[in-house]
Amino acid sequence: MEPDRGLPSATDPAAYHFWVEEHIRFADLDLLGHVNNKAFTVYAESGRAAFLLKTGLWVPHAPRQNVLARLEIDYRRELHYPGTVRVGVRVLSIGRSSFTLGLGLFDGDACAAVAVTVLVRIDSSSRASVALDADERACLTPYLATGDS
Amino acid sequence: MEPDRGLPSATDPAAYHFWVEEHIRFADLDLLGHVNNKAFTVYAESGRAAFLLKTGLWVPHAPRQNVLARLEIDYRRELHYPGTVRVGVRVLSIGRSSFTLGLGLFDGDACAAVAVTVLVRIDSSSRASVALDADERACLTPYLATGDS
Amino acid sequence: MEPDRGLPSATDPAAYHFWVEEHIRFADLDLLGHVNNKAFTVYAESGRAAFLLKTGLWVPHAPRQNVLARLEIDYRRELHYPGTVRVGVRVLSIGRSSFTLGLGLFDGDACAAVAVTVLVRIDSSSRASVALDADERACLTPYLATGDS
Amino acid sequence: MEPDRGLPSATDPAAYHFWVEEHIRFADLDLLGHVNNKAFTVYAESGRAAFLLKTGLWVPHAPRQNVLARLEIDYRRELHYPGTVRVGVRVLSIGRSSFTLGLGLFDGDACAAVAVTVLVRIDSSSRASVALDADERACLTPYLATGDS
């Protein structure tokens, strides 16, 4: 659904080299008995948080933090309880003070949703955006999606 | 942030003719003390659900229902507790078996977020998409955004 | 259900002199179409948070905070969407370093649930409990339930 | 905290013979950076749902279902992200049309919370309580807590 990004592999598990797994909770079900659409955004958040923690871009109470500027999610397939969902994370682009993550939610190898999130690096005190420094860029670069991923 | 849609007024309360108001809950706060980004999607869902209920497109247990195919949200401004958030809803487009809603989240007249959601009309039993019929289109048309909104 | 407390009026709106109102959200529904049981605890939390804010016992980032030690909730009646829920709050007892709130959730005047929560006053840094001081007690006393409420 | 129940082992992992494990999610954190108190009730719900599914007392869309009549939770210890929480479930008592589950939430072997929930067996259509039948009792009996657990 994102032909303009040149990343047709967003629905392919092979596109991702960072993974977390979440248990689907009873609490995630909607009134139709399927996993509700907000739970998908929670799974994406779990992937995002784990990625930021692993790469060192999120350190609790640190002077520099990340805020979400944009979230897109394409729902492709229902998820069911009980079960697990695998969340793959990659970096789609690195800007001056922001970066874009691409996430894939999978039931086994079947893609249940694709998400794109734009995060802005901010100063915790002033809440103003700050330029990503060299170290921060170096944390993200290994996960940057390439044409051949 | 959506120049291609020709709807620069998404952040203007005047663009919306259907409104709901939500109380910001303590439960909506994140670990920084601001309303967390998932709560924004809940407010958007509240607007969407009220709109579908009002227009008759959502009737509990009816043979035709709506599923979310896509959600985009642009975060523009923090929201705080205690307070209220006003959610405006309009129809951006009507397709064969889907329709797109545009939502604005406001703190007073200040736009806190803009959301776009694509909903697909489905048969509840088969879960397959179905074409919107004339009655369903007539429910949506009064809320369709126009160039001069 | 709490005959031992000598407060048979927990299900009577007249027992409460502090009130907040919450909108029932679509997000609060469970897979049976009723408000799910966790949403009841969120409504109780809304009442508790508003009460603590109003009485001055909760000030964000203050050196003394409250932590929940115990929560009891008796479910008496289903709640439905759309609708509102009224939450009444009163003080059941004041201890050395803790206090107990009684909450009633109402649909109009019909009691949907009764909750009891025990809060412990702590030092934010050490996380250790601290004795309630005279000012804090004075904040709670006006809302203390009495035999004739 | 429940000396009157004669079950001093509620905080001992050895008391439980049915277990589920949950991943603590970023979404479970509160504004102090700890797992919020509502997430504890979600973990308890996960244990309850898995137990009911395993014992056959919960079958989606079946004519007999369970509704929560009461929930008690004692908070004993903070939980942190990232991490996992183990939820133990046992049956505390079996009544005519209701049964009581005891749950323990553990971080490793350290008890983070103890919960007690009363569930009422109902007819899905009428929503009225029904007596537990012999089969249903037989599903619960193996997990019934005894003096020597």
Side-chain angles (χ1 to χ4, degrees):
Chain A
M1 297 197 185
E2 305 181 328
D4 58 319
R5 286 176 187 276
L7 294 166
S9 54
T11 60
D12 180 352
Y16 305 95
H17 302 298
F18 179 90
W19 289 92
V20 294
E21 191 174 279
E22 276 292 358
H23 294 176
I24 292 173
R25 297 178 182 171
F26 180 81
D28 297 338
L29 302 183
D30 66 10
L31 74 175
L32 294 175
H34 314 112
V35 170
N36 72 55
N37 57 67
K38 289 178 306 296
F40 281 68
T41 68
V42 171
Y43 305 149
E45 180 188 62
S46 291
R48 186 172 73 235
F51 177 81
L52 295 173
L53 198 60
K54 171 71 180 310
T55 54
L57 284 165
W58 175 45
V59 178
H61 312 299
R64 290 162 76 101
Q65 296 287 348
N66 317 287
V67 292
L68 197 59
R70 179 169 169 84
L71 172 67
E72 297 169 25
I73 185 159
D74 283 297
Y75 297 89
R76 302 174 57 89
R77 194 185 174 92
E78 294 183 352
L79 289 170
H80 298 278
Y81 172 87
T84 56
V85 55
R86 300 192 306 139
V87 184
V89 185
R90 62 179 176 170
V91 178
L92 293 179
S93 64
I94 306 174
R96 200 191 72 87
S97 62
S98 69
F99 53 100
T100 302
L101 301 182
L103 299 102
L105 277 58
F106 295 88
D107 173 6
D109 283 342
C111 184
V114 170
V116 174
T117 67
V118 180
L119 290 146
V120 176
R121 195 72 174 163
I122 62 161
D123 177 274
S124 302
S125 304
S126 70
R127 310 289 293 168
S129 65
V130 291
L132 289 161
D133 64 29
D135 282 354
E136 291 164 345
R137 290 172 182 279
C139 293
L140 292 168
T141 305
Y143 299 97
L144 194 55
T146 59
D148 44 28
S149 67
Chain B
M1 295 198 186
E2 306 181 330
D4 57 319
R5 286 176 187 276
L7 294 166
S9 55
T11 60
D12 181 352
Y16 305 95
H17 302 298
F18 179 90
W19 289 92
V20 295
E21 191 174 280
E22 277 291 358
H23 294 175
I24 293 172
R25 297 179 181 170
F26 181 80
D28 298 337
L29 302 183
D30 66 10
L31 75 174
L32 293 176
H34 313 112
V35 170
N36 73 55
N37 57 68
K38 289 178 307 295
F40 281 69
T41 69
V42 171
Y43 305 149
E45 180 188 61
S46 291
R48 186 172 72 235
F51 177 81
L52 295 173
L53 198 60
K54 171 70 180 310
T55 54
L57 285 165
W58 174 45
V59 177
H61 312 299
R64 291 161 76 100
Q65 296 288 348
N66 317 287
V67 292
L68 197 59
R70 179 169 168 83
L71 173 67
E72 298 169 23
I73 185 160
D74 283 297
Y75 296 90
R76 301 173 58 88
R77 193 183 175 94
E78 294 181 353
L79 288 170
H80 298 279
Y81 172 88
T84 57
V85 57
R86 300 193 305 140
V87 184
V89 185
R90 60 178 177 172
V91 178
L92 294 179
S93 64
I94 306 174
R96 199 191 72 87
S97 62
S98 69
F99 53 100
T100 302
L101 301 181
L103 299 102
L105 278 58
F106 295 88
D107 174 7
D109 283 342
C111 184
V114 170
V116 174
T117 67
V118 179
L119 290 146
V120 176
R121 194 73 174 162
I122 62 160
D123 176 275
S124 301
S125 304
S126 70
R127 309 290 293 168
S129 64
V130 291
L132 289 162
D133 63 30
D135 281 354
E136 291 164 346
R137 289 172 183 279
C139 294
L140 292 168
T141 305
Y143 299 97
L144 194 55
T146 58
D148 45 28
S149 66
Chain C
M1 298 199 184
E2 304 182 330
D4 57 318
R5 286 176 186 275
L7 294 166
S9 55
T11 61
D12 180 352
Y16 305 95
H17 302 298
F18 179 91
W19 290 92
V20 295
E21 191 175 279
E22 276 292 358
H23 293 175
I24 292 172
R25 297 178 181 171
F26 180 80
D28 298 337
L29 302 183
D30 66 9
L31 74 175
L32 294 175
H34 314 113
V35 170
N36 74 54
N37 58 66
K38 290 178 305 298
F40 281 69
T41 68
V42 171
Y43 305 149
E45 180 189 61
S46 291
R48 187 172 72 235
F51 177 81
L52 295 173
L53 198 60
K54 171 72 181 310
T55 53
L57 283 165
W58 175 45
V59 177
H61 313 299
R64 290 161 76 101
Q65 296 287 349
N66 317 286
V67 291
L68 197 59
R70 179 170 168 84
L71 172 67
E72 297 169 23
I73 185 159
D74 283 298
Y75 297 89
R76 301 174 59 88
R77 193 184 174 93
E78 294 182 352
L79 289 170
H80 299 279
Y81 172 90
T84 57
V85 57
R86 300 192 306 140
V87 184
V89 186
R90 61 179 176 172
V91 178
L92 294 179
S93 64
I94 305 174
R96 201 192 70 88
S97 62
S98 69
F99 54 101
T100 302
L101 301 182
L103 299 101
L105 278 58
F106 295 89
D107 174 6
D109 283 343
C111 186
V114 170
V116 174
T117 67
V118 179
L119 290 146
V120 176
R121 193 74 174 162
I122 62 160
D123 177 275
S124 302
S125 304
S126 69
R127 310 288 295 169
S129 65
V130 292
L132 289 161
D133 63 29
D135 282 354
E136 291 164 345
R137 290 172 182 279
C139 293
L140 292 168
T141 306
Y143 298 96
L144 194 55
T146 58
D148 44 29
S149 64
Chain D
M1 295 197 185
E2 305 181 330
D4 57 318
R5 285 176 187 277
L7 294 165
S9 54
T11 60
D12 181 352
Y16 306 94
H17 302 298
F18 179 90
W19 290 92
V20 295
E21 190 174 281
E22 276 292 357
H23 293 175
I24 293 172
R25 297 179 182 170
F26 180 80
D28 298 337
L29 302 183
D30 66 10
L31 75 176
L32 293 175
H34 313 112
V35 170
N36 72 56
N37 57 68
K38 288 178 307 295
F40 281 69
T41 69
V42 171
Y43 305 149
E45 181 188 60
S46 290
R48 187 172 71 234
F51 177 81
L52 295 173
L53 198 61
K54 171 71 180 311
T55 53
L57 284 165
W58 175 45
V59 177
H61 313 298
R64 290 161 76 99
Q65 296 287 347
N66 318 287
V67 291
L68 197 60
R70 180 171 167 83
L71 172 67
E72 297 169 24
I73 185 159
D74 283 297
Y75 297 90
R76 301 175 57 89
R77 193 183 173 94
E78 294 182 351
L79 289 170
H80 299 278
Y81 172 88
T84 56
V85 57
R86 300 194 304 140
V87 184
V89 186
R90 61 179 175 170
V91 178
L92 293 179
S93 64
I94 305 175
R96 200 192 71 87
S97 61
S98 70
F99 53 99
T100 302
L101 301 182
L103 299 102
L105 278 59
F106 294 89
D107 173 7
D109 283 342
C111 185
V114 171
V116 174
T117 68
V118 179
L119 290 145
V120 177
R121 193 74 173 161
I122 63 160
D123 177 275
S124 301
S125 305
S126 70
R127 310 289 294 166
S129 66
V130 292
L132 289 161
D133 64 27
D135 282 354
E136 291 164 344
R137 288 172 184 280
C139 294
L140 292 168
T141 306
Y143 299 97
L144 194 54
T146 58
D148 44 30
S149 67

